[in-house]
Amino acid sequence: MKRRKIFVILGVLVLAGAIFLATQLSSGSPNGSQPGKSTQSSQQVTAAIVVDAMKAEMKPIQTFVNLTGRLIPEDKIEIYAEVTGVLQNRGKSFKTGIYYRRGQVLVNIDSEEARQNLVAQKSSFMNALAKVVPDLKIDYPDIYPEWRQYLLEVDLQDRLPALPEVETEQQKLFLTGRNIYTQFYNIRQLETRLDKYQIRAPFSGVVTEAAINEGTLVRAGQKIGEFAQTGIFELEAAVGIDELPFVNTGDKVKLSPTKTDQQFTGTVSRINARVEQETQTVKVYIRLQNPGLKAGMYLEGKIEAETYQDALEVPKEILVDENKIFVVKDSTARLTPVEVLDATSEEAIIAGVEEGAILIQESKNAAFEGSKVNPVLKSSS
């Protein structure tokens, strides 16, 4: 009986102690701290959004006009036959990649038939002169020596020299009546046509296209190939009308092929006066001269444009409504208006930002107005 009472008393004491301890924990700790407030502060720190950020360092920023394009030869011709005949090989072959100096024969078409016809016409002309000259001795002795000497100088294998001048209208009518002038100009026409059987290089360059092979019959009007100058090229680039004021004829441009360390210097040689309606750009042509260049190479370069003072370059994607950014103030994201000075598809140059301000450098949805943020600084652009 006594043991049962002892157990009952012990149980009452344990229950009373548990109630007292619970009361103390709910009312506050013995040292005066407030666990409820500490827990709330911990939750607020956990709720802050971690964002990439940059520190604004305002400085002068130089902008550029970007130029890209492919090289085309400054001089390039398509070669067409003006006469009919068989393509012959007399020296160099007319094949792609063969180099010719200026004045060398590019294309040689068999001209034997045309040459023989020309010789026959010259022979007939000499016969006509041989009949006229004795008459001149009698009727116009003052011009006889000159015409006699001309007859002796005519060579069937050379080009006809110019006819001697006549002094009077009667002399001219006399020669016209003997058909001298008609035969002379017919022969000159045949000589000109004979020249078309050989096509000479108008400049030093290489054959870039050979449309026919040697020994093939060439017909008048048929394309034979293409010939392009080497070493001197033009790059055609499109420049926006807003950038055009910064590009002038004579400007020097540094150009480089993609993925290489090579660099070539060109000069803006001409600027088109017409604006492309669809793209609102203007064609600009840059002349380059270098033996290391090849037709079709893709080059890119830039020309200095405007310099902005006290500006900052940022990723364009962080702009909100095109002219606002998020700035961290008191650990809170604040939407702040800025002045956009210039922009490309990826970057924007802005002003109106305080020196040292912390900018959120993430997409515009990474933080919202009034959100608590924990910025992680990265180097500015």
Side-chain angles (χ1 to χ4, degrees), residues 260-322:
T260 69
D261 295 331
Q262 290 179 295
Q263 193 173 72
F264 304 97
T265 301
T267 304
V268 178
S269 58
R270 51 198 175 99
I271 301 173
N272 198 352
R274 183 171 67 91
V275 177
E276 300 290 335
Q277 294 184 1
E278 294 182 357
T279 60
Q280 289 297 290
T281 58
V282 175
K283 297 294 185 183
V284 174
Y285 297 88
I286 302 167
R287 187 177 187 270
L288 300 96
Q289 184 172 1
N290 192 292
L293 297 171
K294 301 291 184 183
M297 288 178 65
Y298 185 86
L299 301 180
E300 55 187 17
K302 53 190 178 181
I303 296 177
E304 288 188 1
E306 189 168 355
T307 301
Y308 296 106
Q309 303 295 331
D310 296 324
L312 180 67
E313 189 172 29
V314 298
K316 190 176 181 180
E317 64 178 8
I318 73 171
L319 293 178
V320 181
D321 297 332
E322 298 183 353

Side-chain angles (χ1 to χ4, degrees), residues 316 318-325 335-340 350-351:
K316 190 176 181 180
I318 73 171
L319 293 178
V320 181
D321 297 332
E322 298 183 353
N323 64 347
K324 299 181 183 68
I325 58 172
L335 196 58
T336 305
V338 295
E339 180 184 1
V340 179
I350 62 174

Side-chain angles (χ1 to χ4, degrees), residues 197-251:
Y197 284 84
Q198 281 190 339
I199 302 176
R200 297 182 179 273
F203 43 77
S204 298
V206 297
V207 178
T208 54
E209 179 185 344
I212 61 173
N213 297 319
E214 294 160 1
T216 304
L217 176 64
V218 180
R219 301 187 183 278
Q222 181 178 351
K223 183 178 180 179
I224 299 176
E226 292 182 357
F227 185 70
Q229 191 177 38
T230 55
I232 303 178
F233 298 90
E234 278 190 331
L235 182 138
E236 181 185 80
V239 174
I241 56 176
D242 57 329
E243 299 174 321
L244 197 59
F246 304 106
V247 182
N248 299 287
T249 303
D251 285 350

